[in-house]
Amino acid sequence: MNTITTVRELRQLLDEERKAGRRIGLVPTMGALHAGHLSLVRRCVSENDVCVASVFVNPTQFNDPHDLETYPRTPERDTAMLAEAGCRYVFMPSVDEMYPETDTRVFNLGTVATVMEGAFRPGHFNGVAQIVSKLFEAVEPDRAYFGEKDFQQIAIIRAMVRELGLRVEIVPCPIVREADGLALSSRNARLTPEGRQVAPAIYRTLTESRALVDTKTPDEVKAWVTERLNAVGGLRVEYYEIVDSTTLQPIHAWADSPEPRGCIAVYCGEVRLIDNISYK
């Protein structure tokens, strides 16, 4: 496995792979890797000739400087895990390498960017589009792999791909969870012992809410989930929305969407966790 820090070297190596007729897959990450990331890497390895993983904490997608400062960074551990998973190239650039000058691009991402995370984290998705487009330009992958925990982010990246006319297949991959249901996240490392005890209530409550579909409207289920979680000490719901899986717009009757999806953001102490669940 090669660890590369510059776009120029990465392009040179991947040009040789393409000349040899090899298909290239990309797994973009911000590091602090866990089993969820490795599931993406292993799928990428199995479906492509070459797997590239990027490890880069992207400053333009953080609207909270404290969140950027405290985001966990474990580069040596990440490199070892990627090598074991079969990754061919690890791209670990500096901030100056990815942003030699300020990126002033503003993407037209449509209504999928204005709800949920878009409403509560202004500028976040434009920053995501900036860095992912840069990675796509550097790697030119045939496929790129993203976890469904960041469900809205996948819709954002697809919108960006359409806007730029890129030829890359976006591959969504299932959420990987702990045995108690907590969605794997790099942010879980920041949970206090008390927070780690109560955090599984998020997925447990979402799962229980599926039983209410036959008797309650989406708005009533939203209220039920929010009330239940806010009653748990140490948890505070920032938002819970039940949306159409494609448009990400809120629904008010189950018949409004063939694939309703519940998307949630919850503060567990100071740590912000997101999750989602299908109501199909």
Side-chain angles (χ1 to χ4, degrees), residues 21 152 179 189 249:
Q152 188 174 6
Q249 298 308 297

Side-chain angles (χ1 to χ4, degrees), residues 223-278:
W224 185 89
V225 167
T226 302
E227 184 178 343
R228 286 284 292 263
L229 287 174
N230 282 339
V232 177
L235 297 184
R236 177 175 63 84
V237 176
E238 184 172 56
Y239 69 77
Y240 183 52
E241 294 289 349
I242 298 178
V243 302
D244 175 76
S245 289
T246 301
T247 68
L248 300 190
Q249 298 308 297
I251 64 170
H252 304 287
W254 298 110
D256 289 347
S257 172
E259 293 188 17
R261 175 78 56 159
C263 298
I264 197 164
V266 181
Y267 276 95
C268 183
E270 295 185 357
V271 182
R272 187 177 186 273
L273 303 175
I274 62 172
D275 205 343
N276 62 85
I277 194 168
S278 173

Side-chain angles (χ1 to χ4, degrees), residues 59-95:
T60 71
Q61 70 189 69
F62 286 83
N63 54 331
D64 179 353
H66 178 71
D67 197 17
L68 172 61
E69 181 183 332
T70 58
Y71 197 87
R73 293 163 171 83
T74 57
E76 293 180 3
R77 179 174 172 271
D78 293 344
T79 303
M81 293 171 72
L82 289 168
E84 187 176 345
C87 183
R88 179 81 60 84
Y89 299 105
V90 179
F91 183 44
M92 292 182 126
S94 66
V95 173

Side-chain angles (χ1 to χ4, degrees), residues 211-232:
L212 305 176
V213 169
D214 292 336
T215 58
K216 293 183 181 292
T217 67
D219 288 330
E220 290 169 338
V221 172
K222 280 171 49 180
W224 185 89
V225 167
T226 302
E227 184 178 343
R228 286 284 292 263
L229 287 174
N230 282 339
V232 177

Side-chain angles (χ1 to χ4, degrees), residues 14 24 30 54 60 116 121 150 169 175 199 263 266:
L14 295 180
I24 297 169
M30 291 209 300
S54 62
T60 71
M116 298 185 294
R121 301 181 69 187
D150 298 291
E169 178 187 353
I175 299 172
C263 298
V266 181

